[in-house]
Every structure is written in structure tokens, then in C-alpha cells.
Amino acid sequence: AQTVTQSQPEMSVQEAETVTLSCTYDTSESNYYLFWYKQPPSRQMILVIRQEAYKQQNATENRFSVNFQKAAKSFSLKISDSQLGDTAMYFCAFMKHSGGYQKVTFGIGTKLQVIP
Amino acid sequence: EAQVTQNPRYLITVTGKKLTVTCSQNMNHEYMSWYRQDPGLGLRQIYYSMNVEVTDKGDVPEGYKVSRKEKRNFPLILESPSPNQTSLYFCASSSRTSGPQSDTQYFGPGTRLTVL
């Protein structure tokens, strides 16, 4: 079974600064996806970024980028130029991608507070 | 507008009274999933479906049933709800077709269930 660990329950960052959220996972699979989702106070789950395990290049989406270290099973999220609207819970997720399976495992989340 | 809808959004019920939470998507996605979110535990997968009439258990299936009779709908059934099923429930859908959004899950707005 896969496990996903987010070791930072809460973090804070000054507006316009950079923050990195950590995520590690454990799996014996070679083919999988990794995701970061944002959950603001509205409770809506919003996709931040997606990474395919077979791709060496780290995914980026505007101010959001990841540091994907496959051998180390690490998938950290970097938020640059933090904005007040980035205040939210952030969840790391692992998706097994083989055959017909779509087993998904989430971490317990990191609560990020952006301070004005 | 591409979306996943859930109904009801809020539900208060009593122990043992059967209930159904509906989920519908308009994106022609093959895959659909149900999750529950509890404080300190992140999201946990209950069931998922690979297509019509094909479902499989996630990590926490006990006490839940699902069915997939139509591609767009994936209801979650609690035959005899108990207080430990009080939670925030999310439905999600994704497509297996190739492309940059392959296997990316899109979430519904959530259903807050309270079982007294």
C-alpha cells in the first residue's frame, strides 16, 4: 500500500515571499502520478499542479513549481511570490496508474497562512 | 461549464436511516471516485469506478455502497449510517484518455454529512 507523508502540519509565509511545502511517499510502483491540491476555506478541492512519474522535468504552473526527486520519493511544492489568496490547506496526493486501477492516497495536509 | 455536482450539499440524519448522496459529471469521464475527509486524516478513498458497472474498493469502503449504471452518475449509498460516518464527502472524476489532463481528478463541491 502507498503512503503519503506531509510532515509540516502548519506553515506561514510573508506575502511576496517564497515557501516550500514538503511531501514524501512510499511506493513500489514505477508508474504513477503525483498531485498538489489546494483547499481554501470554501472547502473546494482545486488542482495546483500535476507530475507524471516518468517525466524527469519538474512541473510548473505560474508561481507554483515542484521539486520531484523520484529516487528519494520526494515531491515538494514551491510557491513563489506568495499571495493572500494562497492561504489554504494543501494536500499532496499519489495516484497509482496501472491497468484499470485508480487508487489514490492523500497526505494529511499542510495548513498555509500567508501573512500580509 | 464542465463540472462535478453533488447533492445534497448538507445533510443531517439519524442513525440507521438509509441515505444516498448523488454525484454527476458532464465531462464524459470514465473514472469516478468517492472520498471522505476527516480532520487530521486528509482525504481517504472510499470507492472508485473505472466505467459503467465496474467499481472497486478504496481504503475505507466499510459501511458504504456505490453503483455506476450510467457513465455520468456515481451515487454513494449509506444503508445504515452511523455517527462515525459523520464527515465531509467528495466526489471526483477523471479521464483516462491521453493528454496533459489525463488522470487529473476534478472534484465536486463536497457534502457535509452529520449522523446523529
Side-chain angles (χ1 to χ4, degrees), chain A residues 30-87:
Chain A
S30 58
N31 196 12
Y32 51 88
Y33 291 101
L34 294 162
F35 303 88
W36 279 98
Y37 281 92
K38 168 185 176 180
Q39 187 180 48
S42 67
R43 297 291 191 179
Q44 179 70 47
M45 293 291 288
I46 302 166
L47 176 71
V48 175
I49 205 161
R50 167 184 178 274
Q51 176 80 43
E52 297 177 63
Y54 72 88
K55 288 188 175 179
Q56 302 269 5
Q57 188 174 8
N58 289 327
T60 62
E61 285 289 343
N62 302 313
R63 298 182 295 107
F64 299 88
S65 62
V66 297
N67 183 7
F68 174 46
Q69 303 285 334
K70 191 172 184 179
K73 297 178 183 175
S74 172
F75 184 60
S76 60
L77 175 70
K78 185 172 83 171
I79 306 174
S80 303
D81 184 26
S82 297
Q83 301 176 359
L84 296 179
D86 296 333
T87 292

Side-chain angles (χ1 to χ4, degrees), chain B residues 31-94:
Chain B
Y31 283 83
M32 298 184 75
S33 281
W34 276 104
Y35 297 89
R36 61 177 289 173
Q37 182 180 8
D38 302 291
L41 295 177
L43 281 78
R44 293 177 292 168
Q45 193 174 33
I46 302 171
Y47 271 97
Y48 66 97
S49 169
M50 299 80 93
N51 216 321
V52 175
E53 302 292 3
V54 185
T55 63
D56 201 359
K57 296 177 181 178
D59 291 326
V60 288
E62 295 79 17
Y64 304 95
K65 285 178 59 177
V66 292
S67 68
R68 187 97 179 270
K69 294 185 176 7
E70 303 168 286
K71 195 173 184 179
R72 63 183 292 127
N73 297 323
F74 190 44
L76 179 70
I77 303 157
L78 284 72
E79 295 267 2
S80 182
S82 62
N84 63 14
Q85 293 178 299
T86 292
S87 188
L88 178 61
Y89 290 86
F90 286 100
C91 180
S93 72
S94 63

Side-chain angles (χ1 to χ4, degrees), chain A residues 1-5 23-34 73 92-98 101-108, chain B residues 41 43-45 48 57-59:
Chain A
Q2 283 68 232
T3 59
V4 176
T5 302
C23 173
T24 58
Y25 58 95
D26 188 23
T27 185
S28 57
E29 302 288 331
S30 58
N31 196 12
Y32 51 88
Y33 291 101
L34 294 162
K73 297 178 183 175
C92 179
F94 173 101
M95 177 186 284
K96 180 179 176 180
H97 182 263
S98 60
Y101 287 104
Q102 198 184 60
K103 287 286 189 75
V104 184
T105 303
F106 279 80
I108 63 172
Chain B
L41 295 177
L43 281 78
R44 293 177 292 168
Q45 193 174 33
Y48 66 97
K57 296 177 181 178
D59 291 326

